Amino acid sequence: MSNGHGVSTLITGAAPYGEEAADVLITDGVIAAVGAAATAAAKRATDVEVIDADGLVLLPGLVDLHTHLREPGREDAETVETGSAAAALGGYTAVFAMPNTDPTADTAGVVEQVLRLGEDARLVDVRPIGAVTVGRKGERLAELAAMAGSAAQVRVFSDDGDCVSDPLLMRRALEYVKAFDGVIAQHAQEPRLTAGAQMHEGDVSATLGMTGWPAVAEEAIIARDCLLADHVGSRLHVCHLSTAGSVELIAAAKARGTRVTAEVTPHHLLLTDARAIGYDPVFKVNPPLRTDADVAALRKALADGTIDIVATDHAPHASEDKECEWDAASPGMLGLQTALSVVVATMVEPGLLDWRGVAAVMSERPAAIGGLAGHGRPIAVGEPANLVLVDPAARWTVRGAELASLSANTPFEGMELPAKVVGTFLRGRRTVAGGALVAGVNA
Ligand code: DOR
Ligand code: ZN
């Protein structure tokens, strides 16, 4: 056991942030020493588990600001426990759970229930996101302060799946969360411009004869919300940016000092609307896959910091909601176990980000945006040992049926991707070892 009192773990030969290799000693869930001091201290100690990590990259445990865990309500698609397993296997030590559950996570009671389920699963820290409006109906504000003051200490609020489209409600929500330094995470989609939409509005939708979801429906909300955030001096986070125009709007807002942050999903960094040809609903997602030019703009924006973070929008769906005709299918894709590999393929391999950059966009900044203490911290003495070991040379083929999620709707089925998570540590306790969930982690 690596988490008992006085018991230590020495990780040897791994390269923190892909830089110089340095031994790391973990004692009682905390990084006790780094480098030669770790090697020396481990020699003096009595009960040390040694993990040979030669050739591996060591990063702070990943943090996902946008995960759908489906519990309560759709335990056939995912549970907090199975989603937590997928997260740990993907290198995550913390996930923020979206509130579009049944019942909606719009009260202290429901967010505390999700928090407890996460604590029981013991695989990652699960931080509930609260709904902005009651039942996510966009009619009246939910009890934001009660959720903030609950045991779940909610700081992120979102009606994700739907847009807070009423500008007055959005204004009030932004004003309200200022009191406890909260943030509104907006799903930017003008509903009137996307009624019946099935995919990106463009050449492919015209050819396929599908109702289009135009870029302007996202961009109009982002422009409005940045202006509202300026007006009330509050913090706005924009979920799953998908268009080149959205990038321009975020860049302009940041340049004038707007308190705005933005995320991009792995699937929007890799896939385009061409995937809709063939009508396989595994490629149906909201916002939709866009064009090559959008993908290029999103990658560049993530590299230059205009987009702050990668968030998965992990959206498990039961087979009956995905294996049907396109129009009837639910939008959404699995993401937790493939996110790091897709970021390596789209950002690291082309030279757009190094491992320091990966740590920033997948761990440090998401923790900071979500106000999550103890995660996204430096690999340094005294810090909580929330860590992930990655084999940068490994390649693996994605098989939905083999993923830990209860659902199998990965858009990366059959793809060979680079980089594999081989170990994950939550406060020094191994949740993943040798690329597999640690047996008996719930014991
Ligand atoms: O594709 C999506 N799926 N987009 C969303 O905004 C919601 C999510 C879900 O809950 O399935
Ligand atoms: Zn969304």
Side-chain angles (χ1 to χ4, degrees):
M1 289 295 287
S2 58
N3 62 333
H5 198 73
V7 177
S8 298
T9 304
L10 181 72
I11 303 172
T12 65
Y17 308 101
E19 295 166 359
E20 289 279 285
D23 290 357
V24 172
L25 181 69
I26 302 168
T27 302
D28 294 336
V30 172
I31 298 176
V34 178
T39 325
K43 279 204 186 105
R44 289 194 304 272
T46 46
D47 193 0
V48 182
E49 181 196 9
V50 178
I51 298 171
D52 175 4
D54 263 7
L56 304 183
V57 171
L58 183 67
L59 299 177
L62 308 183
V63 176
D64 191 14
L65 197 60
H66 190 148
T67 307
H68 297 274
L69 294 176
R70 302 298 187 223
E71 193 177 1
R74 283 308 300 262
E75 292 84 352
D76 57 325
E78 195 79 291
T79 65
V80 171
E81 185 173 6
T82 59
S84 295
L89 287 163
Y92 289 88
T93 51
V95 301
F96 285 77
M98 278 294 177
N100 62 335
T101 49
D102 186 12
T104 303
D106 59 1
T107 62
V110 181
V111 294
E112 286 183 347
Q113 179 191 355
V114 173
L115 179 78
R116 301 259 148 71
L117 289 165
E119 288 170 352
D120 291 347
R122 295 183 77 233
L123 289 165
V124 293
D125 286 342
V126 174
R127 295 300 307 262
I129 295 175
V132 177
T133 67
V134 175
R136 296 189 317 107
K137 289 191 166 74
E139 289 163 3
R140 56 197 173 89
L141 284 188
E143 290 173 6
L144 308 184
M147 289 187 270
S150 76
Q153 298 182 333
V154 178
R155 290 294 176 276
V156 184
F157 297 88
S158 182
D159 273 2
D160 182 61
D162 291 300
C163 184
V164 181
S165 63
D166 179 335
L168 182 59
L169 265 179
M170 188 63 183
R171 174 192 176 154
R172 294 280 178 253
L174 286 165
E175 283 172 340
Y176 214 94
V177 299
K178 259 177 93 170
F180 39 84
D181 196 31
V183 61
I184 304 293
Q186 176 68 294
H187 170 118
Q189 175 179 6
E190 167 49 58
R192 296 273 290 150
L193 291 172
T194 53
Q198 294 296 327
M199 65 171 295
H200 171 64
E201 180 181 299
D203 294 344
V204 182
S205 67
T207 306
L208 299 180
M210 288 210 232
T211 306
W213 196 133
V216 64
E218 176 170 307
E219 294 154 8
I221 294 294
I222 293 175
R224 180 201 79 177
D225 286 355
C226 286
L227 294 171
L228 283 173
D230 288 343
H231 185 61
V232 304
S234 194
R235 213 146 63 85
L236 168 71
H237 177 74
V238 183
C239 296
H240 39 54
L241 241 69
S242 70
T243 80
S246 296
V247 167
E248 281 180 30
L249 290 163
I250 296 290
K254 284 186 168 183
R256 67 174 185 265
T258 308
R259 299 175 73 197
V260 63
T261 53
E263 72 188 32
V264 63
T265 70
H267 47 270
H268 288 109
L269 289 171
L270 184 61
L271 307 174
T272 69
D273 61 347
R275 299 277 169 168
I277 302 167
Y279 302 96
D280 183 346
V282 80
F283 298 110
K284 181 173 177 179
V285 66
N286 194 17
L289 302 174
R290 305 279 186 190
T291 68
D292 281 322
D294 294 308
V295 167
L298 293 168
R299 290 185 187 186
K300 182 169 171 293
L302 183 63
D304 71 21
T306 302
I307 294 178
D308 300 85
I309 67 166
V310 172
T312 66
D313 197 4
H314 177 83
H317 285 293
S319 56
E320 70 264 26
D321 295 322
K322 273 309 215 184
E323 287 160 25
C324 55
E325 63 278 31
W326 181 288
D327 283 26
S330 299
M333 302 172 159
L334 297 187
L336 285 168
Q337 278 178 261
T338 47
L340 181 65
S341 290
V342 172
V343 169
V344 171
T346 58
M347 300 297 296
V348 178
E349 288 190 338
L352 290 166
L353 274 188
D354 57 15
W355 289 104
R356 277 265 169 201
V358 173
V361 302
M362 297 188 78
S363 175
E364 294 160 7
R365 290 191 206 141
I369 293 168
L372 179 58
H375 291 267
R377 301 291 306 163
I379 301 173
V381 174
E383 297 290 351
N386 295 317
L387 298 165
V388 56
L389 277 171
V390 183
D391 182 350
R395 299 189 70 87
W396 62 291
T397 301
V398 182
R399 301 283 174 214
E402 292 169 10
L403 299 176
S405 284
L406 283 183
S407 302
N409 54 304
T410 173
F412 310 113
E413 181 71 36
M415 270 191 207
E416 195 192 81
L417 294 175
K420 191 88 182 95
V421 169
V422 292
T424 311
F425 301 79
L426 181 62
R427 285 179 286 280
R429 185 170 54 86
R430 303 193 83 179
T431 55
V432 171
L437 218 56
V438 174
V441 76
N442 292 312

